[in-house]
Amino acid sequence: MVMAASETKFHVLAVDDTLIDRKLIEKLLKTSSYQVTAVDSGTKALEFLGLNNNDHHDVEVNLIITDYCMPGMTGYDLLRKIKESSSFKDIPVVTMSSDNIPSRINRCLEDGAEEFFLKPVQLSDVNKLRPHLMKRRTQTNVNKRKSMDEIVSPDRARARYNELEVK
Amino acid sequence: MDLIQLQRQLVDYRTSLYHEGFLDEQFTQLQSLQDENNPDFVVEVVSLFFEDSERLLNELSKALEQQIIDFKRMDAQVHQLKGSSSSIGAHRVQKLCIVFRNYCEVHNVEGCLKCLQQVKHEYGIIKTKLESMFQLEQQILNAGGSIPV
C-alpha cells in the first residue's frame, strides 16, 4: 500500500565533526519536522547506511547533509562514495562549509551535491531541502503506481484468454 | 529591582551587544530555535562554545611556545574556533580568527602571537557578557516573568 507523503517524516542523516554544529543542524532539522540522525564522521555515516558491510540496509535515509572539512573522510569523499554506490546514489546529498571557496562549491555541485550551504546554516537554508525530498518521494510513488498498473487485473487476463480462443 | 525593570535591562543589554558588534544575527537565529521542547538550547550551545574555545586557546598558546611551530595544526585549530564562534554569533572573535588564519598561512609568528592575545581578550569579554545576560534572564524567570524577545 502506498503511504501518503504526509504520514511519514523524512529522515535526514547529518554528518559533522563539531559538536556545536551537530547540535545546531539537528535543531534546525527537527524544527522543520524532519527525523534526524547525527553522526560525527563520514565513516560513521557509511556504517549507519550499511555501506561498509554488505548487509541489506534496513534504515531509510531520505537525505544526507554533510560538513565538508572533516578529519579523515571529508564531506566530498563521502559525497563521492554515496554517488558511486548502487544502493545509495539516489539519496540527495547536501554539503556545507564555513569557508566560501568557489572551486570547492563547484566541485561538490558538479559531483552530485544538490546544494551547498555556507555555515552557519540558517532555517532558510533548511527550507531549501524540501523540494529535493518531495521530488524523490513523488518519483517513488509514480514508480510504485506504474508497477501496480502493470499487474494485469484478473478480468483483463480473462478477456485476453477469451480473445485467444477465437481463431 | 522589579520585573519590568529587569526585563527592560535585559533588552537594553542585548541591544547593546549587537550594536557594539559583540554579537551578530546568528545569535538571534539561535534564540529563535529555542522553544518549550528545548528551553535551554541557547545556554547549552553557548556552553559548548565556551568549552571548545578554552580548549583551543590553551592548545594555541602551547603551540606558539614550541621550538618548532606547527602552523598547519594551528591553522586547523583557529579554523575550528572560527567555526564555533560563527555558529553562535560571536562576531568579534570570528573576525579575529580570520586575521589569525592569515598569519598562520604565511608563518608569521609575531602576527600569530598578537592575534592570540587579541582573541583571548575578546573571548574573555564575550564570555563575561553572555554570562551576565544569562544571569539576568534567570533573575527574570525566578521573578516569575518571561524573557522578552
Side-chain angles (χ1 to χ4, degrees), chain B residues 17-76:
Chain B
L17 292 181
Y18 286 101
H19 277 176
E20 289 163 34
F22 289 106
L23 293 177
D24 62 34
E25 73 269 10
Q26 178 58 20
F27 192 79
T28 319
Q29 277 274 319
L30 274 191
Q31 289 181 307
S32 70
L33 287 172
Q34 186 161 290
D35 55 26
E36 321 80 57
N37 295 328
N38 264 126
D40 300 317
F41 181 69
V42 179
V43 171
E44 282 168 15
V45 178
V46 171
S47 301
L48 286 175
F49 166 69
F50 290 162
E51 279 168 36
D52 251 14
S53 302
E54 275 153 44
R55 174 184 58 87
L56 288 164
L57 288 170
N58 275 335
E59 289 182 19
L60 287 164
S61 299
K62 288 205 196 106
L64 282 164
E65 287 164 15
Q66 302 307 309
Q67 290 271 29
I68 298 173
I69 296 178
D70 189 344
F71 286 102
K72 193 169 170 211
R73 190 149 178 267
M74 270 198 346
D75 179 73

Side-chain angles (χ1 to χ4, degrees), chain A residues 18-21 23-24 27-28 31 69 97-99 104 119-124, chain B residues 26 29-30 33 35 38 41 44-45 48-49 52 79 82-84 86-88 101:
Chain A
T18 14
L19 182 54
I20 292 182
D21 289 345
K23 212 171 150 76
L24 255 176
K27 193 67 173 67
L28 284 166
T31 300
C69 281
S97 175
S98 53
D99 294 323
R104 176 186 287 185
K119 284 176 161 186
V121 177
Q122 321 258 291
L123 210 53
S124 53
Chain B
Q26 178 58 20
Q29 277 274 319
L30 274 191
L33 287 172
D35 55 26
N38 264 126
F41 181 69
E44 282 168 15
V45 178
L48 286 175
F49 166 69
D52 251 14
H79 171 81
K82 183 185 112 171
S84 56
S86 131
S87 290
I88 71 141
R101 282 190 86 187

Side-chain angles (χ1 to χ4, degrees), chain A residues 31-63:
Chain A
T31 300
S32 308
S33 302
Y34 296 121
Q35 187 197 339
V36 189
T37 301
V39 297
D40 65 6
S41 72
T43 315
K44 294 224 180 104
L46 292 176
E47 272 171 29
F48 183 78
L49 287 169
L51 211 64
N52 278 346
N53 47 23
N54 289 318
D55 291 345
H56 167 69
H57 63 282
D58 46 11
V59 81
E60 205 198 326
V61 168
N62 305 113
L63 185 137

Side-chain angles (χ1 to χ4, degrees), chain B residues 77-93:
Chain B
Q77 287 162 339
V78 180
H79 171 81
Q80 272 186 66
L81 186 57
K82 183 185 112 171
S84 56
S85 57
S86 131
S87 290
I88 71 141
H91 190 77
R92 289 196 189 186
V93 175

Side-chain angles (χ1 to χ4, degrees), chain A residues 94-158:
Chain A
V94 169
T95 44
M96 22 177 205
S97 175
S98 53
D99 294 323
N100 188 348
I101 301 173
S103 57
R104 176 186 287 185
I105 298 173
N106 287 332
R107 193 163 61 131
C108 287
L109 294 173
E110 276 162 22
D111 287 355
E114 307 287 342
E115 302 268 356
F116 193 109
F117 296 156
L118 283 175
K119 284 176 161 186
V121 177
Q122 321 258 291
L123 210 53
S124 53
D125 293 314
V126 175
N127 290 339
K128 293 182 193 166
L129 298 177
R130 201 158 282 268
H132 297 293
L133 288 156
M134 292 308 294
K135 188 174 68 176
R136 299 286 154 171
R137 184 158 279 185
T138 312
Q139 268 174 5
T140 312
N141 286 349
V142 166
N143 290 339
K144 279 186 188 162
R145 230 176 288 129
K146 258 199 202 158
S147 52
M148 277 168 80
D149 283 347
E150 278 162 7
I151 296 168
V152 180
S153 74
D155 291 304
R156 273 203 247 159
R158 208 173 295 127

